[in-house]
Structure formats: C-alpha cells, structure tokens
Amino acid sequence: MSLDWNDLKVFLALERGRSARAAAVSLGTSHSTVLRRLQTLEHALGAQVFDRTPEGLLITGPGETLLHKAQQIEADFLEVEREVAGADVVLKGAVRLTAPPAVLKYLMLPILADFRAKYPEIEIEIVSTNRFTDLNKRDADIAVRFSEEPDDYLVGRRLPPFHDAIFCARGTADPQGMGWIGWTNTVRFQERIATTPFSNAPVDWTIPDLELQAQAAREGLGMALLPCVMGDRDDRLQRVVPHFTQPTLTAWLLQHPDLRRLERVRIFAEFVFAAISKQSRFVAGIG
Amino acid sequence: MSLDWNDLKVFLALERGRSARAAAVSLGTSHSTVLRRLQTLEHALGAQVFDRTPEGLLITGPGETLLHKAQQIEADFLEVEREVAGADVVLKGAVRLTAPPAVLKYLMLPILADFRAKYPEIEIEIVSTNRFTDLNKRDADIAVRFSEEPDDYLVGRRLPPFHDAIFCARGTADPQGMGWIGWTNTVRFQERIATTPFSNAPVDWTIPDLELQAQAAREGLGMALLPCVMGDRDDRLQRVVPHFTQPTLTAWLLQHPDLRRLERVRIFAEFVFAAISKQSRFVAGIG
DNA sequence: CGGATGCGGTCCATTAATGGACCACAGTAT
DNA sequence: ATACTGTGGTCCATTAATGGACCGCATCCG
C-alpha cells in the first residue's frame, strides 16, 4: 500500500488538535474520516504514530520521528504554492468582499489586516451587504454567507461551524429570569429559541439589527442569542448558560466560478479560509 | 481549494513519463484520472504546469519551478517511510532480484550494498536472468527489465531513461575507422546502429554476450554499442563520439501485484528506484 | 490514401471514501 | 448517583472519485 500523502495533513492536524474531533474541525472533515485516515497512515508506515486514550490521541516515538519531517514537508508544500503562484503573476488589484457585518467586525477585520500586511498591493473593498445577488452580478468577488446550501453555480467552501450562545450584561445577578431580546420575524426566532433552555421565556424586545440586540443586552435589557464571535470576547457581556451553544446556519465562503482564475481572489480566499479555520474553536464558542 | 498533496505524485509521474498514459501506468491508475488530477493541481496552484500537445505533455516555466521542490518533497516522503518504518518494525527476510547482468554489475551492486548496510537483516538473492516468467512464477520479487511495455498485470515503474554510447579501447588513435563489435541478431543490430554516425561501418565481430563485447572493445578489436553505465566509468574504454548517445528500450522496475503487501519488497523497490533516480544523469550518459 | 498507433479529452456506470448517527467509555460537576 | 461533555470507535446511506469506453486529432508507415 502506497502512502497517501494527504494523510500527512491528517497527522499534522491530529498533532496540533490532540483529538480526532479537533483535527476534523480544522481539516473541514469528520472525525470518522480522520480516524480512518490515521489507520491508513499507520498501516502504510507499518508503525503506530498515536496512542488512543480516552483523553485523546498521544503521539508515540515513531510519531515523534515523523513529526519533524512532516512539518518540513508541509513547509515545502507552502513554498510550492507560493513559488508557483508567484512565478506566474504579481498579485495586485482589488478584491471585493461581502459578509455579515458581525462576522466582519468581530472575526474578519484582524484577518483582513494580516492579509493586507502580507499582500500590500491587493486592495480589499468591503461591500457589507448580505444578498446572494452580490456574487451573481459580480458586485463582490468573495462572500461569507450563512445558509443550508449555497447556490448551485457558486463555488462554495464550508467554513468551520459557527455557534450562537445566550448573552446578557456582564454582572447580571439573576440571568435566568430574563426575557429575550429577539428578532421581528417571530416565527423564525421562536424556532431558534425552541432548542434553548429558555424556550418559554417571553420575548420582551424585537430589534431588527444584531448590533443593536447586542447593545441592548449590554445595557441589561434582556438576553440575546448572539454569535459566539460577537459575545465571547466582549467584557460587557457574559453567557447566561456557560456551556450552552447551538449551531448557526452553515457558514460558507463563496465565490463566482468565473473569478476562480483571478489569482488574487484565490489567494485571498485561501488566506481567509485558513485564518478562520485556525479560529474554529472561537467561532464554535469552545473554550 | 486546498492543494491535494497526492497530485504531486501525478505531477512527478507526468514529468517522468511525458504523457498521461505513461504516467497512469507508473501510478497504477488511468489516464483520465491523471488528466483530471493534473487539472485539479493546476487549478489549486493557479498556474499551468504542462502544455498539452499532440505528442504529449510539455513542462512549462511554472512546472520547472515546481519540479525541483516536488522532487525534494518526494525524497522527504521516501525518507519518512524509511525512518518511521525503521523505527518500529524490524525488516527481515529475503528479497529476490532479477536484472540484466550489466545493470547489476555496473549500476546496482553499490546500491544493493547500501541497502544491505541499512537493512542488514534483509537478504538479497540475485537471480541474474532476463525472463518475464521470473515474476509470473514468483521466482523473483523484483525485476529490472528493458521493453516498450511491461506485462499488463505486473506493477511497473518506469526508471529514468538508460542510454547507450559507442565505446572503443582507451587510447585508440583513429577510432572512426573501426568496425563494429555486434550481436548475432544482425537485423536487430542493424536497426540499432542505423541511427548512429557509423551506420555503414562493417560488423567485424558478432558476439552473443555484452560483457564479452565490452572486453573485445577493451582489447581494441573494434567499437561496441554499450550502456553508458557500463562504459563511462571504465578507464580502459572511451567514447568514439563524445556526446553521442541513444536511448535503450525503456527500463522498468517490476514486481508482481501480490507481492506489494510484503513490506520488505516494497521498501526494497522504493530504495532501488530512488537510488537509480538519483543517478539518472549517469544512466543517461550525461556529463 | 488508408490503417495503425500514439496523444489529450470527455462521459457515466461503478467503486471507494465520506460523514452523520450511534455506541461505549471516561472524567467532571452538581 | 446522575447528568453532561468530552473522547475513540463502528456502521452504512450518501457523495465523490475512478476508470473503461469512446471521441477526435496528429503522426507514421506501407
């Protein structure tokens, strides 16, 4: 059996994540695939590179032997991508991005700053809207969207799962007696809160803007179901139930197929995808 | 779109085979898979690494950029397999090898010595014959063969191209007035020399053994068409036309599919393939 | 000129890999 | 003691990749 070189990606993700499930998140796959590929890798090498424990996967002696070389190979692949991409085009021009404002504000702006530092000749135009027609009309090159499925003819990559949590003002004495700060589309909002511990709490406020909902929560007007990226690093908010989260609609990084051949769009998409993937625990509200 | 690391195997096979079908044979897959994966690779890199021509695939500038790094990565993977396999399992048992005597004597014996040094518990049995039935009857585990195509059901990897050159005794004053030392199959031999600068020179000797032909050349009896690995490091021989070489039949490293699961056979084949690949200039008579 | 043999390219029935659901176990908090 | 949350592990309906068949083109040979 010939070694599947992609299994080294799995190995590296496992070494970093220390568990099959963490590796799966960072690779954008499932933990069962990760475990299967680990078995395949160990079979191909004729050596066991991780011990399985209830706490997770622990690297073995042969695994340590492999790790150094695997890191070198990964660096080589990154260099391949830089060298070959760079051999063809000088990256400059504009990339137009559209994403929900909260994702932009609480997650992506530092990522975009890093990107600009790395590629100073690429301009990023943020078109902060939330409509699919952006890509169809070429109004945007890259879109972050939340939906069950992207449009069939858009090229979509599933981002790591985003989660919402229930937040209220920091220091609230009895957070469990609060009412909801919710959306005007009450049917949809009722569906959302039906799976929370407070499905029967009253909806005291209906506010048609997420940022305003967050502000209302900060002011102590009630509890709001907010993205973890929005609430977890806000020292004026706290979770009502510390370990409760629930998934949002699936997050996609989308682009129009015609634009895939634009190098700077591709580089940008890869960069953003990798950066968000690295923060998969944060966007899922873990830790 | 993340780079599929296995696509670099496809890239290397294409560079060596010069066509999708040749690459497919060496990879044990189909040419449609090879072409699809090439497209995927080029897409992931955002650069075209081969030009498609009716004669086959021609490497491009970005492809040349990629090639060096790809070879390094391949060497790293081979080292991964050696290091990690060596760290966990003791490889022992016998490996039976068959190859043309000249290839064994002038190219492979140092390689086999290196292999034995590294894996002292693996015995190498050299079965120095030259018949395909060796593998079919399990008389040999690994075979080096020269032919246009290997048997369909044998697993073949194309070795780097071997070349012949015209040799005579070192110190011959007027080498261009000599006659041929050739084979008894005069039709085939006429075909071979028709593409040399001395297609009209007489065939003074017909000797049915390559080693004897070489010895005859050393003795000054004429000029012989010999593999470069045989003549270039022999201080009793010299090339008649310094830079003239011509390719031999294609060299294959063959094994029976059933034997692929024997670890020591696999390790041995990888080792030999890598070692010969590293001497690709020598076997082609370059430099 | 026609046949043979190579090539790249595309399609779709078949095959192999995936991932979501579920299981059992272990640790932690209440 | 119970509930919750993590882990590895397995299974199978679903999804994605494969490869064999076929196409058209180019070259070579008789």
Side-chain angles (χ1 to χ4, degrees), chain B residues 29-33 36-37 54-55:
Chain B
T29 184
S30 73
H31 89 281
S32 53
T33 297
R36 184 186 311 113
R37 280 169 160 272
E55 292 81 20

Side-chain angles (χ1 to χ4, degrees), chain A residues 88-100:
Chain A
D88 212 56
V89 291
V90 173
L91 294 173
K92 60 185 174 182
V95 170
R96 288 162 300 175
L97 168 70
T98 180

